[in-house]
Amino acid sequence: MASSKQICEEILKLADIKINGNRPWDVQVHDDRTFDEILKKGSLGLGESYMNGWWDCKELDEFFNKILSAKLEQKLKEVFTLSIKAKLAINFLISKTLNLQSISRSKKVAERHYNLGNDFYKNMLDPEYMQYTCGYWKNAKNLNQAQIDKLDRACRKAKLSKNKKLKVLELGSGFGGFGKFAAKNHNCEITSYNISTEQVAHSREINKNLPVKTIIDDYRNAEKENKHHFDRVVSIGMMEHVGKKNYRNFMRLADYCLKDKGILYIHTIGNLKSQGGTDPWLSKYIFPGGCLPSAADIIRAAEGYFSIEDFENIGHYYDQTLMAWFANFEKNWPRFKDQYRERFYRMWKYYLLSCAGAFRSGHIQLFQFVFSKGNLGKVYEGVR
Amino acid sequence: MASSKQICEEILKLADIKINGNRPWDVQVHDDRTFDEILKKGSLGLGESYMNGWWDCKELDEFFNKILSAKLEQKLKEVFTLSIKAKLAINFLISKTLNLQSISRSKKVAERHYNLGNDFYKNMLDPEYMQYTCGYWKNAKNLNQAQIDKLDRACRKAKLSKNKKLKVLELGSGFGGFGKFAAKNHNCEITSYNISTEQVAHSREINKNLPVKTIIDDYRNAEKENKHHFDRVVSIGMMEHVGKKNYRNFMRLADYCLKDKGILYIHTIGNLKSQGGTDPWLSKYIFPGGCLPSAADIIRAAEGYFSIEDFENIGHYYDQTLMAWFANFEKNWPRFKDQYRERFYRMWKYYLLSCAGAFRSGHIQLFQFVFSKGNLGKVYEGVR
């Protein structure tokens, strides 16, 4: 009978990955318990055995790119030489991992993710705007510029005006960078909602001399006293946390808060398929409750409230963004290693690089939507 | 009890339209049977009574813009002064017309539409490319330029290459104008499918010295011997005739015919809502079997086959296109009036101008989608 190791070997071969090979994307397995963990727990076992230090890979990002580009599901049908057990194992892994079909219901708080503090993020992100979302790399040579270009495009896509002080509602504001950039450069007045105390403290600090009001509250409370109050609604990197059952309510709220000729701009990570769920490892260790929408999910949820005007998919720029974050994390790790220790280092590295590989393979995407109330009276001019 | 006329008056008032008023969008009713027809048959009655010469309107396009912009459904809830009968009538009209909820199953062949002959269309459309789809008016001063700009953008959105002779499959080719433009200007080889004998004859004539092959056959037969054969699939103005139940099969076919890094470009009129149907009058007299997809319909149908890269809504340019077609039709009518007669004139005018008003109000849209197989390996660069 084939051992767990032999089965894993057969599967990895389909993605051109060798166990103990010497190419950058090959894996070095130090502890054979890795194989049982993978076959028993799928994606979760792969990640946890990495965190345990049971295996390594020089280019983890490329390892994931290869796995996710390999179309294992399709190959399974075509490759007759695989053992039955390997086929069953692939089927299991696909259901657990690659198609993201199973939504982990883990309620565990992500290990440290939300307790890391602003100093940690400041050392990983672009220091000025601290954007914890995908940058725009078309013309940028470094992370700082990519984030400035992303913010500038968001303002231009949302049609902020230098001539008229527009009122902007921001749903989910991170560290307050969009507010700072938009208020400074695009002459607007911003009201932001965010539930993270640490982020809001930072946002208030950097925006103290700007027309940016940051409210510590759930975005769902933004509609209080705000009927048709805003010219624009902007949401950058929050939709990932909203949850499928709430998309329609999100749209209802945005419509309610927006004036008649208002524009809604949404920037979010997206799934290729509407039935997609969340990777169990990411869900347990990094983003509890996270759920990626498909493009159809969002556009469908907007029907009756909004008309879709413009859509762009810039997923590959998230690969570059994550690699830049990883380089910063790696460089600054000596400052944090005594505090966070080795297991955290491996978890964080695995998170950043597995996501980079997922974007590189096209397995997940970055969507930017522009919606109007359908009455702009002219063609919306997109920004490219 | 309120008469049919009084009820119609009440309803039209909500859209700021007066019976026998003197503003360009007011209506002159010559025959009171109009009111019964409207209340009995909704959109169909409105159109047929117009064809009968029972009512007129100086700016029919603006009449429709006002009707469709008036959000009658919403007003119905707010306006308490309306009679119960008027409310019931509005509900009926909405279900029959404005929300396009009911799909007419009429199998009647459209009155003359497909038997009009190329000469009639040549006098309405741009003569060189005979584009019977929406032009691109951002920089264009006239219809000819708007259609050239539309064709050029389609080629650029589909990433045709001047350096490499790409193989293009065109699904639904109209009079062959896209093939002519693309082969002349973008160095490609085109295979087009079309079921209209008259259109194909024209296409073959204008493309006889170009690498454009026009096949008289249903697009569904394009997959024969074409597995992964084409670099691009382009479909301009055919999705309106495909039917909701066939969208998924359309995507399967496009995926099957496309090479690995291929691109699919779709240009189609669209509905704001996924449950939208077809206007009964248009369905009976102009486009039998026509059905407008929503953006979510198309994107959802592509899941598993394609990744959505870029989307643009240029619906308002169809208003300009239709008004230009109407001006040509009107100017050249003396050439055709003895052949087609007054009732046809009124039908055609009603068709072009009601559609212009529908696009002007944002009630229907023009969608352009770019899909890849998800493995371009870089961000798709949109064209704006």
Side-chain angles (χ1 to χ4, degrees):
Chain A
M1 260 191 51
S3 68
S4 299
K5 182 176 174 179
Q6 284 168 325
I7 293 164
C8 287
E9 227 156 22
E10 281 192 83
I11 296 170
L12 289 172
K13 216 166 106 185
L14 295 175
D16 187 32
I17 293 166
K18 268 188 204 156
I19 293 169
N20 302 328
N22 51 17
R23 297 165 302 174
W25 55 84
D26 288 331
V27 292
Q28 283 69 49
V29 178
H30 316 305
D31 190 318
D32 277 4
R33 282 176 292 178
T34 299
F35 305 119
D36 282 338
E37 280 290 291
I38 293 173
L39 295 186
K40 211 165 62 194
K41 292 157 76 183
S43 155
L44 196 57
L46 185 69
E48 288 181 341
S49 55
Y50 184 85
M51 285 160 73
N52 294 343
W54 293 355
W55 62 280
D56 271 300
C57 175
K58 197 164 173 229
E59 291 182 3
L60 209 47
D61 47 309
E62 203 44 32
F63 166 83
F64 278 100
N65 180 30
K66 287 202 166 277
I67 290 273
L68 295 170
S69 297
K71 297 186 180 170
L72 294 183
E73 197 168 3
Q74 200 174 310
K75 283 190 180 147
L76 181 65
K77 289 176 197 152
E78 291 163 8
V79 178
F80 292 100
T81 53
L82 282 182
S83 70
I84 296 291
K85 212 167 161 188
K87 288 190 184 188
L88 290 173
I90 293 177
N91 260 342
F92 170 79
L93 290 174
I94 286 166
S95 76
K96 276 292 189 205
T97 319
L98 302 172
N99 273 352
L100 305 176
Q101 301 277 3
S102 86
I103 299 170
S104 162
R105 298 287 174 201
S106 167
K107 294 286 178 208
K108 279 191 188 173
V109 176
E111 211 169 302
R112 296 180 193 256
H113 193 192
Y114 291 111
N115 303 320
L116 289 170
N118 295 345
D119 190 43
F120 177 82
Y121 284 106
K122 211 174 281 179
N123 279 277
M124 181 174 92
L125 308 174
D126 59 308
E128 187 172 3
Y129 295 105
M130 287 181 70
Q131 290 294 295
Y132 196 23
T133 51
C134 180
Y136 186 74
W137 290 86
K138 187 175 173 188
N139 309 306
K141 296 236 178 339
N142 57 56
L143 180 64
N144 293 359
Q145 193 59 48
Q147 294 297 6
I148 287 170
D149 290 355
K150 182 267 298 287
L151 290 167
D152 185 57
R153 282 176 101 247
C155 293
R156 287 186 294 127
K157 283 191 168 193
K159 301 287 174 196
L160 300 187
S161 161
K162 300 203 179 183
N163 304 320
K164 205 183 150 198
K165 196 178 266 311
L166 296 181
K167 288 194 179 78
V168 179
L169 172 62
E170 189 190 14
L171 301 175
S173 61
F175 296 98
F178 172 77
K180 180 179 173 182
F181 184 89
K184 266 200 332 188
N185 299 292
H186 290 266
N187 181 34
C188 55
E189 208 178 276
I190 296 177
T191 307
S192 295
Y193 280 76
N194 191 338
I195 48 168
S196 159
T197 321
E198 286 214 52
Q199 290 188 338
V200 168
H202 182 84
S203 176
R204 286 179 178 166
E205 174 60 26
I206 63 170
N207 288 310
K208 62 188 167 201
N209 299 317
L210 290 165
V212 178
K213 188 167 133 193
T214 313
I215 296 169
I216 306 188
D217 203 350
D218 193 289
Y219 78 93
R220 282 168 284 201
N221 295 321
E223 65 185 300
K224 276 184 205 149
E225 296 172 29
N226 281 329
K227 185 174 182 180
H228 301 175
H229 181 71
F230 294 98
D231 300 288
R232 304 290 184 259
V233 173
V234 170
S235 182
I236 300 176
M238 190 190 74
M239 204 50 104
E240 298 90 329
H241 305 284
V242 161
K244 275 184 196 285
K245 70 179 197 309
N246 299 314
Y247 298 153
R248 186 115 186 111
N249 198 45
F250 177 97
M251 294 296 176
R252 191 198 51 71
L253 179 141
D255 174 57
Y256 180 89
C257 294
L258 267 176
K259 288 181 191 168
D260 202 31
K261 305 229 170 200
I263 286 174
L264 165 64
Y265 177 70
I266 297 171
H267 166 122
T268 179
I269 302 174
N271 246 335
L272 284 176
K273 294 188 183 178
S274 293
Q275 68 274 35
T278 308
D279 176 79
W281 184 86
L282 270 181
S283 180
K284 180 168 176 186
Y285 290 97
I286 310 293
F287 296 113
C291 175
L292 303 181
S294 71
D297 281 340
I298 298 296
I299 294 172
R300 185 78 204 254
E303 286 181 9
Y305 297 117
F306 291 104
S307 169
I308 172 83
E309 300 290 346
D310 187 85
F311 167 91
E312 191 178 13
N313 178 350
I314 58 163
H316 285 278
Y317 291 148
Y318 225 142
D319 175 12
Q320 282 170 270
T321 305
L322 283 153
M323 294 308 286
W325 290 345
F326 177 68
N328 284 342
F329 166 69
E330 185 88 329
K331 191 178 76 191
N332 296 315
W333 176 244
R335 292 189 50 187
F336 297 98
K337 66 187 285 195
D338 289 344
Q339 188 184 350
Y340 293 117
R341 309 297 175 85
E342 182 67 9
R343 188 175 161 85
F344 174 85
Y345 171 81
R346 293 183 69 85
M347 177 186 86
W348 204 257
K349 179 175 179 177
Y350 188 87
Y351 151 49
L352 295 175
L353 296 184
S354 65
C355 287
F359 282 105
R360 194 174 306 159
S361 68
H363 192 68
I364 48 178
Q365 314 281 330
L366 195 290
F367 298 151
Q368 296 182 332
F369 303 86
V370 178
F371 292 99
S372 78
K373 292 202 177 189
N375 58 0
L376 295 178
K378 59 182 181 183
V379 169
Y380 169 87
E381 279 191 25
V383 173
R384 288 295 183 278
Chain B
M1 256 187 64
S3 69
S4 298
K5 182 176 174 180
Q6 284 168 323
I7 293 165
C8 288
E9 227 157 22
E10 281 191 85
I11 296 170
L12 289 172
K13 216 166 105 185
L14 295 176
D16 187 33
I17 293 166
K18 267 187 205 159
I19 294 170
N20 302 327
N22 52 16
R23 297 163 304 174
W25 55 84
D26 288 333
V27 291
Q28 283 70 49
V29 178
H30 317 306
D31 189 319
D32 277 4
R33 282 177 292 176
T34 299
F35 306 118
D36 282 338
E37 280 290 291
I38 293 173
L39 295 186
K40 211 164 62 194
K41 292 158 76 183
S43 156
L44 196 58
L46 185 70
E48 288 180 340
S49 56
Y50 184 86
M51 286 160 72
N52 294 342
W54 293 355
W55 63 279
D56 272 301
C57 176
K58 196 163 174 232
E59 292 182 2
L60 209 46
D61 46 310
E62 203 43 33
F63 167 83
F64 278 100
N65 180 30
K66 287 200 168 280
I67 290 273
L68 295 170
S69 298
K71 298 188 179 167
L72 294 182
E73 197 168 3
Q74 201 173 309
K75 283 189 179 145
L76 182 63
K77 290 177 197 149
E78 290 163 8
V79 178
F80 293 100
T81 54
L82 282 182
S83 69
I84 295 292
K85 212 168 162 187
K87 288 190 184 187
L88 290 173
I90 293 177
N91 261 342
F92 170 78
L93 291 173
I94 286 166
S95 76
K96 277 292 188 205
T97 321
L98 302 172
N99 273 354
L100 307 174
Q101 302 277 4
S102 87
I103 299 170
S104 163
R105 298 288 173 199
S106 165
K107 294 286 177 206
K108 278 192 189 173
V109 176
E111 210 171 302
R112 298 183 192 253
H113 192 191
Y114 292 110
N115 303 320
L116 289 170
N118 295 346
D119 190 42
F120 177 82
Y121 285 106
K122 211 175 281 178
N123 280 277
M124 180 174 93
L125 308 175
D126 58 309
E128 186 170 6
Y129 295 105
M130 287 181 70
Q131 291 294 294
Y132 196 22
T133 50
C134 179
Y136 186 74
W137 290 85
K138 187 175 171 185
N139 309 306
K141 297 239 180 332
N142 57 57
L143 181 63
N144 293 358
Q145 193 58 48
Q147 294 298 6
I148 287 171
D149 289 355
K150 182 267 297 288
L151 290 167
D152 186 57
R153 281 176 101 246
C155 294
R156 289 187 292 126
K157 283 190 169 193
K159 300 286 171 196
L160 300 186
S161 161
K162 300 202 179 184
N163 304 321
K164 205 182 151 198
K165 198 178 261 314
L166 297 181
K167 289 194 178 77
V168 179
L169 171 64
E170 189 190 14
L171 301 176
S173 60
F175 297 98
F178 172 77
K180 180 178 173 182
F181 184 89
K184 266 199 332 187
N185 300 292
H186 290 266
N187 180 37
C188 55
E189 209 178 275
I190 295 178
T191 306
S192 294
Y193 280 76
N194 191 337
I195 49 168
S196 159
T197 321
E198 287 215 52
Q199 289 188 339
V200 168
H202 182 84
S203 177
R204 286 178 178 167
E205 175 59 26
I206 63 171
N207 288 310
K208 61 188 168 201
N209 299 316
L210 291 166
V212 178
K213 188 167 135 194
T214 312
I215 296 170
I216 306 189
D217 203 350
D218 193 289
Y219 78 93
R220 280 167 286 201
N221 295 321
E223 65 185 300
K224 276 181 205 152
E225 296 173 27
N226 281 329
K227 186 174 181 180
H228 301 175
H229 182 70
F230 293 99
D231 300 289
R232 304 290 184 260
V233 173
V234 170
S235 183
I236 299 176
M238 189 189 75
M239 203 51 100
E240 298 90 330
H241 304 284
V242 161
K244 274 183 198 283
K245 70 180 196 307
N246 300 315
Y247 298 153
R248 185 116 186 110
N249 198 46
F250 177 99
M251 293 296 175
R252 192 198 52 70
L253 179 140
D255 174 57
Y256 180 88
C257 295
L258 267 177
K259 289 180 191 169
D260 201 32
K261 304 229 171 202
I263 286 174
L264 165 65
Y265 177 70
I266 297 171
H267 165 122
T268 180
I269 302 175
N271 246 335
L272 284 177
K273 293 189 184 179
S274 293
Q275 69 274 36
T278 310
D279 175 79
W281 184 87
L282 270 181
S283 179
K284 180 168 177 185
Y285 290 96
I286 311 292
F287 298 112
C291 174
L292 304 181
S294 70
D297 281 340
I298 298 296
I299 295 172
R300 185 77 203 256
E303 287 182 8
Y305 297 117
F306 292 104
S307 169
I308 172 82
E309 301 290 348
D310 188 84
F311 167 92
E312 191 178 12
N313 178 350
I314 58 163
H316 285 278
Y317 291 148
Y318 225 142
D319 176 13
Q320 280 170 272
T321 305
L322 283 153
M323 295 307 287
W325 290 345
F326 177 69
N328 284 342
F329 166 70
E330 186 88 331
K331 190 177 76 191
N332 296 316
W333 177 244
R335 293 190 48 186
F336 298 98
K337 67 188 284 192
D338 290 344
Q339 187 183 351
Y340 293 116
R341 310 295 176 84
E342 182 67 8
R343 188 175 161 86
F344 174 85
Y345 171 81
R346 293 184 69 84
M347 179 186 85
W348 204 257
K349 179 175 178 175
Y350 188 87
Y351 150 48
L352 294 175
L353 297 184
S354 65
C355 287
F359 283 105
R360 194 175 306 159
S361 67
H363 192 68
I364 48 178
Q365 314 281 331
L366 195 291
F367 298 151
Q368 296 181 333
F369 303 86
V370 179
F371 291 100
S372 78
K373 292 203 177 189
N375 58 359
L376 295 178
K378 59 183 179 183
V379 169
Y380 169 88
E381 278 191 26
V383 174
R384 287 297 180 280

